[in-house]
Amino acid sequence: MTRVMSADAQRLTETLERSPGNGGIRLADGQVVSVAECLARAARLAAGLRALGVSPGASVLLIGSPSVDWFVADLALELLGAATVCLDTEAPSEAVATTWSTADLSAAIVEAPLSLATLLTVRKRFPALRPLVLLPSTHAAHAGASGTDLATEDALTLTAVERLGAEALGREGAGQNGDPGAVLVPARSDRARLLRYTGAALAEHRRAAGGFEIASGDVVLLGQRPVELFSRAILGRALEVGATVSLEAVRLSSLEAVSPTVAFTTAPAVERIYGELLVDAQQAGGLPWRLFRWARRVGDEMSFVREGKREPDPILRFFHRLASSTVGRRLHARLGGRLTRIVVLGAPLSPRIARFFCGLGIDVQHAYSTDAAPVACFGRPGSIRFGVVGPAAPGVGLAVRDGQL
């Protein structure tokens, strides 16, 4: 039987197949899983889910932490044409129960063993739900818990479903995928983000994410939780263009280990990094602490020049070059040595801290996200403005209603 995909899935497959071969998802040990390998696994998983009765247009619950397995599952559902209902692994049990009862689910893919007990309890109220697929745990407390020991006739491991899909592909093809239709955003509780989205919506969001100008050869540190549609848009766009993506949380240790060129994170994470650098300089005391303060003042003054609020002068440029080649070089090394941009999502970063990084030659952009438009507004690369989120993304219209954007 010939494999037929929806138009959205076909475009996604062709785009990923054309992406440069040097990109992929970076693992904690430094190895990179290629886009081709992720796509092959996703195709097998999609076929396996189809063989288990999950049809195009069905709603599937996905709960997991940032990992290659999570991305493969997310990509498989997009290829299948399913509508994905996404919850964070920290979602409370009442949110899971509400999701289960309102989202009309056909299957669930969850991380074992964090969410398994809750889901098995909740599913007693909804026995028709099949199948339940287990993702390997990425948490240190459950290291090695692949879910194999928890697998039953109702709970299958991800590997088992992939194997089933490989057999189905080899025997008769992947079947026919349909168009899941419009995007649905059900009601959600204040304690858990509940979104249902489709391949067509994700394709639009990935195109909007092109405004961040991620390029082949970039190393992207994506510190946002995968439940966020913003993260899915950035991840998909980065892999399309051949960039390498690390899904680790953004902290000083991960910056040093990953050596990213671009980091996507939140203001509190950047503030913690700045605080660590500041404390280290203070504890060093003496000359290192005086040099740090001097370099920070020079960087602050230079940030006003880059923002266009001050005319440059030869003396400031000389001191900035001197500060960059001494203190700045050591600080850059602490940040991985290659970082050129930090994109802050949500609450704004303090202008004082933003100017500190700008003084090091690291641009700070802000981005704003909504459920309807995950890439709604963002600062453009090279445009330095502090305390401003930036213009709307192409194709996004903004309005204020009842005091809300």
Side-chain angles (χ1 to χ4, degrees):
M1 179 164 52
T2 303
R3 183 181 185 187
V4 180
M5 290 184 178
S6 69
D8 292 321
Q10 184 68 44
R11 282 193 291 269
L12 174 64
T13 301
E14 291 174 352
T15 300
L16 290 176
E17 287 176 343
R18 289 196 303 267
S19 67
N22 57 328
I25 298 180
R26 184 187 184 278
L27 303 179
D29 61 4
Q31 297 185 19
V32 176
V33 180
S34 69
V35 173
E37 182 178 344
C38 290
L39 190 57
R41 286 189 59 192
R44 293 194 296 269
L45 182 57
L49 291 170
R50 181 65 185 266
L52 291 169
V54 181
S55 59
S59 295
V60 179
L61 177 65
L62 176 60
I63 304 179
S65 303
S67 66
V68 173
D69 290 317
W70 170 85
F71 172 68
V72 166
D74 193 48
L75 181 58
L77 294 175
E78 189 171 354
L79 295 178
L80 179 61
T84 305
V85 178
C86 194
L87 283 176
D88 197 280
T89 52
E90 299 176 359
S93 58
E94 59 266 26
V96 177
T98 300
T99 302
W100 216 289
S101 61
T102 60
D104 190 23
L105 300 173
S106 297
I109 302 175
V110 303
E111 183 172 330
L114 294 178
S115 307
L116 182 59
T118 298
L119 289 172
L120 289 177
T121 301
V122 173
R123 197 170 68 167
K124 291 178 181 178
R125 297 164 51 192
F126 308 97
L129 180 67
R130 298 290 187 273
L132 177 60
V133 182
L134 305 180
L135 290 173
S137 177
T138 61
H139 291 256
H142 304 290
S146 65
T148 303
D149 55 329
L150 301 171
T152 68
E153 60 181 10
D154 291 329
L156 305 171
T157 64
L158 194 71
T159 302
V161 181
E162 285 188 52
R163 189 181 304 116
L164 179 63
E167 294 172 357
L169 287 171
R171 184 171 60 251
E172 59 180 4
Q176 182 171 347
N177 289 342
D179 190 338
V183 180
L184 301 175
V185 183
R188 68 186 188 203
S189 72
D190 291 336
R191 296 183 63 193
R193 299 184 63 82
L194 170 57
L195 300 171
R196 176 159 46 191
Y197 56 90
T198 61
L202 283 173
E204 288 294 330
H205 302 330
R206 284 192 293 267
R207 281 191 286 272
F212 288 104
E213 298 182 10
I214 299 171
S216 175
D218 271 330
V219 177
V220 179
L221 185 56
L222 186 56
Q224 295 299 111
R225 298 294 294 176
V227 71
E228 301 287 349
L229 282 175
F230 179 85
S231 298
R232 284 167 163 73
I234 297 300
L235 176 59
R237 180 63 183 179
L239 295 179
E240 284 178 357
V241 301
T244 299
V245 181
S246 173
L247 300 176
E248 297 182 50
V250 177
R251 54 175 66 95
L252 201 55
S253 59
S254 61
L255 288 170
E256 291 182 279
V258 175
S259 295
T261 55
V262 186
F264 289 83
T265 186
T266 61
V270 180
E271 290 164 359
R272 284 193 294 271
I273 291 169
Y274 171 78
E276 288 185 54
L277 295 174
L278 185 64
V279 168
D280 288 348
Q282 287 176 329
Q283 291 179 342
L287 181 60
W289 173 231
R290 290 196 295 272
L291 287 174
F292 179 91
R293 289 185 296 171
W294 167 75
R296 184 174 59 182
R297 286 195 301 271
V298 172
D300 285 349
E301 293 179 20
M302 196 64 189
S303 71
F304 284 100
V305 174
R306 296 192 64 196
E307 196 179 8
K309 292 185 176 181
R310 173 176 171 174
E311 291 294 326
D313 63 75
I315 295 177
L316 176 59
R317 289 192 181 279
F318 169 77
F319 281 134
H320 186 254
R321 285 196 298 270
L322 181 61
S324 298
S325 63
T326 54
V327 180
R329 180 178 297 177
R330 290 194 295 274
L331 292 175
H332 258 292
R334 295 290 308 278
L335 299 171
R338 303 175 59 202
L339 189 62
T340 60
R341 277 189 291 156
I342 298 174
V343 181
V344 178
L345 179 65
L349 181 65
S350 161
R352 177 174 175 80
I353 297 178
R355 290 188 184 281
F356 169 79
F357 287 100
C358 182
L360 293 174
I362 300 171
D363 291 349
V364 175
Q365 300 171 248
H366 286 85
Y368 183 76
S369 175
T370 69
D371 290 345
V375 185
C377 304
F378 59 91
R380 302 307 190 257
S383 177
I384 309 298
R385 295 187 68 188
F386 300 103
V388 178
V389 72
V396 174
L398 301 176
V400 177
R401 295 177 181 173
D402 301 325
Q404 299 292 325
L405 182 63

